[in-house]
């Protein structure tokens, strides 16, 4: 589905809707470029775009089928940029990913969105910056990449919060076993790693001016994005290290708790063993057991049992077993 | 066994069967190349091929003996490409590997297959793309490599599914111990790693145009394959990380379950200790034990025992020990 | 808040306060530069500075918002240097971090401080070294970086001390479980790692003379700082390895202690089982049990029980179970 | 001990024994080279060789003292190549290592063997390949390196077999604890790693033609050896990963088995507790216990005990505890 | 404290003591250099040296304050080389480290020793090699570095021996828990790593002739030292891997031993439960218990108890629980 299609000239959007069929021609004009936004296009729909701008078959294949790695690749004069969008769904404690592919050329930008992703805001925002738009189609690429990378930040925050919850669980006295949650988070962080990490060197190439397409003034902007990405990457690495340590620490906690439970159980077993042992002695059938004849024998023994149990209980308490 | 032998001219297959003895001459013609497919050749069979195309003795040794690492190597004007094919056998939860070696030259392609591997489909498919075949023997190489790398995808899916099963097992309440399965999968993924990883840099060299033999237009295609390989490689790395964490998480689960079992057992032991303890007291032989004379003494004690056991049971239940 | 604003000429500070509005002009003079110190500036405050020195919008954004990675980046003729300060708070066993951003140009230095950080001493110190200040604004950069890196040293010492305490705990006979502390320290060291590590390559670029701005004579000084950073980095890596081993060693200790507790408990259970067993035998109701009639039967059995328990106690003691 | 000393001319061995004293002169002749084989030489013996061929003192020191890392180093016009031979001793499940040092020059090859190592076969084999020997002394180097690297293969097979045995042990129901064996194998594989890994880059330098001494035609042969080494290196890395996982999996198995044993023990304890508990009740001394007077009371209780024990036994059986 | 101060000319030491004040001038003479040895100098003492040879303030700071990383750095025409000496103290199973800093110039060598370190022997030894001394001050550097690196070897041997002891402990039947020792050794090896590893690349730069100061003929000698360092580095890496595995294997052993202890304890508990259970039955008060009236009832039951216990003991023994 073609969502929006407009010509930008001298940093400003030309009024009026542009039919796809005229886009190719409009794009040729000097100092202007066309931006077409497409959302999960059918093969036919996209074929029209492909023919209009003479896109490479392999690039089109990558853009139409989602599930690519993030990357920046040159096909002739056109750059194909693939980006992963990530959103954290609070309720399910789960990550939702989307994909945006951009064809960027001196004459046009085609953005192809898949799944959870939004570009309308980005378009409005960049249209407010004619100083950047004047640098051509690369400015659109910058705007999109910058937004997507900015959107990684709240995901990082959410994961950080989750990890702190898990840590709290792990060392809380409630004896929960967050092993499954830690493991699930490791998986999630791994997915983040796969979605974000490969983008770093790609953006770096943009920032270092490897593609003429990107106006030199824009390089500083891409370097800023790259720096942001490095920060995100550093946090992801940190998450991996933390979760791996958490798994190990959690095992220790499980082991320590097992010991505590065992000591508690054993203490009670020992306390329970006292009445049996004492009573067994006075259950013996010796003829000559003077205590049996005493009139206070029975209550004395009962008291003895209570005292012994109390002493044991108190000692276990003191040594922290109960 | 020579499976197929044909001349390709201007992107099209020439009609008719080509005897091996004429292949060398046919290959010399301008703008044409010969493609010979061989399956697990005997030394003698392959010696004929070797002499026809003057292949290097070491290259032939590598191609005829399977168990090579995947690689791309130049022997004079000829490239030797070794690839590993992988297939997942559902029933045995096992990987089946094969090997394909290609000798690629401006004039000819010789494909040598070992074990589980198929090239007939690839031949039909590439014969449908005269636009690519026109770029010469490199197109055949592309077709073969592309197919083999595409075939890694379902294997990745199968391994992913297995890992999800293991995860489910691990955290299920059925107390299964998937340690052996996790370990076996680690071994499998290690084999995949060994079979696939070294291919990456080799394909990259093809994509970056290090070999003149590969027509410049084909480089983009090899880059696409390389990108696909990177994706596969990323997943394999992910599998390794996941399985390593799974082993650790599984140990924690085993430890936590052991604790649960121990608490359950101990709770029952404590409950069983009650009748013994109480009865032991009334088994004492004191002369003066008024309860013994009461007519409701015995039933009262029985009721006491039942009540104490119930209280214990209820408390253990509440604290999650039973 | 603008804290200090001064002109330096020929290595000496010019007397008198310099209003911001004149700073730009003063900076232009040959052989002199302006140093402006700002602390957590509001957007408006900093905008004045930005306009005075024509700083790049992205650089300003990085400097005003804290939470950047340490880095050295060139924006036109101006270097933006971001540094993390770290301080160890003894009482809370916690790290406090701050951030200092520097804009360095041939004509000016703007230092922007956030959070816990101090530059007044640095200013005094470098003003005592006219031989260095003569090399221009780079000398100020050196003074700031050198101080911040020097301040990492006491933090390293504090972490080292904490690790030694944890080690002592871990192997002490007091059966403490420092798992949580080890884990918390791992987190802390990870934060240190993130705050310090990226600085290394950045300082290295300064030392290798990649920026003309830094006077060649100053390179040796930056190399010295780089060397210092490498030492700090080496210790951080060491901390990570140590803490990871400590987590594992602590698990072993927990497991060994569990075994010791279990043996101790079991030993006492065995000792308690003796009176019950012996007394049960003499509680049997056989008609013909000669011991029952003996007048010293009862005391003998009591003595027997005490002797048996003592023997058991002594044996357990000897084999180290009690 | 000088084992063999011969002149090779035009790819063929010259008839007759060559005294060491004439070797230097014979080596000077055009198109010919001398090959001297030495086995664990005394300092004096080797000093004669050293003087004859003017070998560097440091190179001689390395060659005469074993315990070097494998390496290829140039001393003036002479290459010193140090190789580690490895053999697996089936009976002791142990690795035996040896060392071969080669001095290779346009004019001569001196091979110095230490410990378990064999070169006679290599000499015979390479004498059968005059086409290679014609390329000069480098051909001898190739022959030696190729053989040594080929000999790593059976060692890899043996280690693989051992690992499979350990895996079988680990997951067998026989409750063996192969921890020590896994650890010992880790040590062994580490030794292999140290003996083999450094050779890779060294051979690579030979293959890439860094030394003029190696005839260009031979480079392909060294590349083949390098490829073989990479395969061996890949397996060694695999072994390390596997053994590290095995250690972890083994710990899980130990933990799971402990749980099984504990449940089995506890089940029996529970079954044993039944007769004591029931009997204790009928051992109470209440006057009014009608069952005591019944003539079938005693057998009924015995039957009750047997029934209760059987029910428990059956339930434990069913839940897999026994 | 200035320990020794001498002029070397043409590879030989000039007779007579040289006062420091004349050293600077003596050093200027062609083909000669001065070697001054200093031991833990006070600031004043060293200041004289600094002024005499115009050493850089930062270099002096590094040389006078110990606790540097090993490094090779150029300050103008002078190299500053910092080395760590290591010695193993048998009695305390501990490492003692020292530090040696060298200022090397075409005209002089200043060696500054800290802590445990010895250079007198080195001086005597190198004075015996006029062939090397003729290459100038670099020869002294070589002699010092070579000795220090040679001295790492016995430390490696001592650590190796310690590791073997720990391994023996770990798998011995004496149930020792070497966790603390393994951990302490990990710390030690980490210290070694920090003291030795950074030296490798530094020496490599000397060997590859990056500094003109080092006579080309000496490069081979530094390469030899570098090779030696690589060997040491390989062993240190090996130690780290081994100790990390040892920690894991030790945990498994602790777990397995715990299981063994638990089985042994439980077996005895089961054996003790027999007399109680049997006796409880004959302690019941049924009127109709014929066995009670038998004259051999009591001894029969005693025999029964002994037989049952023996059977249990024998079975536990057979299944390896006792």
């Amino acid at each position: 589905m073609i969502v929006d299609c407009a010509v930008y000239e001298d940093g400003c959007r030309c009024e009026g809707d542009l039919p796809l069929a005229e886009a190719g021609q409009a794009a040729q004009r000097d100092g202007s470029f066309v931006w077409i936004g497409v959302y999960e296009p059918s093969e036919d729909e996209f074929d029209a775009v492909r023919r209009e701008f003479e896109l490479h078959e392999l690039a089109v294949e990558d853009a139409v089928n989602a599930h690519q790695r993030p990357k920046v690749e040159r096909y002739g004069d056109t750059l194909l940029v693939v980006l992963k969008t990530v959103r954290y769904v609070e309720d399910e404690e789960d990550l939702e990913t989307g994909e945006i592919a951009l064809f960027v050329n001196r004459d046009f930008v085609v953005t192809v969105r898949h799944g959870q992703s939004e570009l309308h805001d980005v378009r409005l925002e960049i249209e407010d910056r004619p100083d950047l738009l004047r640098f051509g189609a690369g400015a659109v690429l910058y705007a999109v990449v910058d937004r997507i990378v900015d959107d990684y930040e709240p995901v990082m925050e959410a994961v950080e919060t989750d990890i702190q919850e898990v840590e709290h669980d792990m060392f809380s006295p409630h004896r929960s076993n967050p092993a499954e949650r830690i493991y699930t988070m490791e998986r999630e962080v791994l997915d983040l790693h796969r979605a974000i990490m490969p983008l770093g060197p790609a953006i770096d190439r943009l920032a270092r001016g490897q593609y003429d397409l990107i106006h030199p003034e824009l390089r500083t902007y891409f370097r800023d994005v790259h720096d942001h990405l490095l920060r995100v990457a550093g946090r992801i690495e940190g998450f991996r290290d933390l979760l791996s340590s958490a798994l190990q620490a959690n095992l220790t906690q499980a082991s320590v708790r097992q010991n505590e439970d065992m000591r508690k159980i054993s203490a009670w077993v020992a306390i329970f063993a006292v009445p049996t042992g004492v009573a067994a002695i006075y259950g013996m059938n010796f003829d000559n057991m003077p205590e049996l004849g005493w009139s206070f024998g029975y209550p004395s023994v009962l008291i003895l049992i209570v005292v012994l149990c109390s002493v044991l209980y108190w000692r276990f308490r003191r040594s922290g077993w109960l």
Side-chain angles (χ1 to χ4, degrees), chain A:
Chain A
M1 197 174 64
I2 293 176
V3 177
D4 199 349
C5 175
V7 190
Y8 292 81
E9 225 175 310
D10 261 344
C12 296
R13 179 180 183 142
C14 301
E15 287 294 320
D17 268 6
L18 181 77
L20 177 60
E22 297 173 17
Q25 223 170 3
Q28 303 288 344
R29 266 182 280 157
D30 248 23
S32 77
F33 67 90
V34 169
W35 179 2
I36 297 178
V38 189
Y39 182 66
E40 298 197 343
S42 68
E43 295 238 333
D44 285 356
E45 262 174 343
F46 204 76
D47 207 51
V49 178
R50 189 186 66 72
R51 274 180 287 109
E52 195 67 25
F53 297 110
E54 293 170 13
L55 305 174
H56 194 284
E57 58 164 337
L58 292 173
V60 167
E61 207 182 295
D62 282 358
V64 174
N65 304 325
H67 307 303
Q68 301 299 314
R69 306 169 60 238
K71 62 180 171 186
V72 175
E73 272 185 11
R74 192 205 307 258
Y75 288 89
D77 290 336
T78 307
L79 282 189
L80 169 67
V81 180
V82 178
L83 302 159
K84 292 288 201 185
T85 63
V86 186
R87 204 165 63 89
Y88 187 82
V89 191
E90 201 67 50
D91 299 345
E92 311 167 29
E93 288 209 345
D94 207 356
L95 295 172
E96 225 179 76
T97 63
E99 201 171 309
I100 294 180
L102 295 98
F103 294 87
V104 186
N105 191 317
R106 208 166 291 275
D107 298 328
F108 60 84
V109 182
V110 180
T111 51
V112 187
R113 294 193 291 116
H114 293 274
Q116 177 277 320
S117 60
E118 244 295 308
L119 285 182
H120 188 62
D121 287 3
V122 181
R123 197 185 275 260
L124 294 181
E125 221 171 290
I126 191 70
E127 285 174 358
D128 270 3
R129 290 289 303 263
D131 58 319
L132 290 180
L133 268 183
R134 211 160 277 142
F135 297 136
V140 173
L141 178 58
Y142 162 67
V144 172
V145 175
D146 189 44
R147 162 62 61 95
I148 288 177
V149 172
D150 273 355
D151 285 355
Y152 292 155
E153 205 63 52
V155 176
M156 295 299 117
E157 289 309 320
V159 173
E160 178 89 52
T161 309
D162 277 18
I163 289 182
Q164 277 161 0
E165 275 175 43
V166 161
E167 287 168 358
H168 187 259
D169 259 37
M170 197 157 68
F171 297 114
S172 81
H174 293 93
R175 339 207 122 211
S176 53
N177 167 28
E180 183 168 5
R181 200 166 165 205
I182 295 173
Y183 181 83
T184 314
M185 289 184 62
E186 276 198 307
R187 215 182 207 297
E188 243 172 65
V189 170
L190 200 68
D191 286 348
L192 278 178
H193 184 93
R194 274 229 308 270
I196 294 176
M197 283 311 189
L199 197 55
I203 299 298
D204 189 41
R205 284 204 304 275
L206 290 171
R208 278 184 294 121
Q210 203 169 316
Y211 306 106
D212 306 337
L213 191 52
I214 308 299
H215 192 281
E217 287 289 322
L218 283 173
R219 283 180 205 161
T220 304
Y221 289 84
F222 279 108
R223 208 180 53 196
D224 193 65
V225 173
H226 183 241
D227 190 65
H228 200 158
L229 253 180
L230 283 185
R231 225 153 61 220
V232 170
R235 293 187 77 173
I236 292 181
E237 284 308 321
F239 292 156
R240 297 184 74 179
D241 285 353
L242 270 182
L243 287 170
S244 158
S245 290
L247 210 48
Q248 181 102 24
N250 186 42
L251 176 55
T252 312
Q253 291 304 95
S255 180
V256 167
R257 272 173 203 157
Q258 179 169 346
N259 197 15
E260 282 167 12
D261 286 350
M262 192 186 67
R263 290 190 308 203
K264 184 180 284 184
I265 291 166
S266 306
W268 282 114
V269 164
I271 291 174
F272 284 0
V274 164
T276 312
V278 171
I281 285 172
Y282 291 101
M284 293 192 292
N285 298 318
F286 285 100
D287 293 348
N288 181 18
M289 287 176 74
E291 298 96 323
L292 296 184
W294 296 350
S295 48
F296 293 102
Y298 176 53
S300 311
V301 163
L302 287 187
I303 289 165
L304 176 69
I305 286 173
V306 169
V307 166
L308 282 177
C309 287
S310 305
V311 167
L312 275 180
Y313 180 81
W314 175 74
R315 291 202 54 173
F316 288 139
R317 196 97 229 203
R318 211 189 44 176
S319 64
W321 288 32
L322 278 178

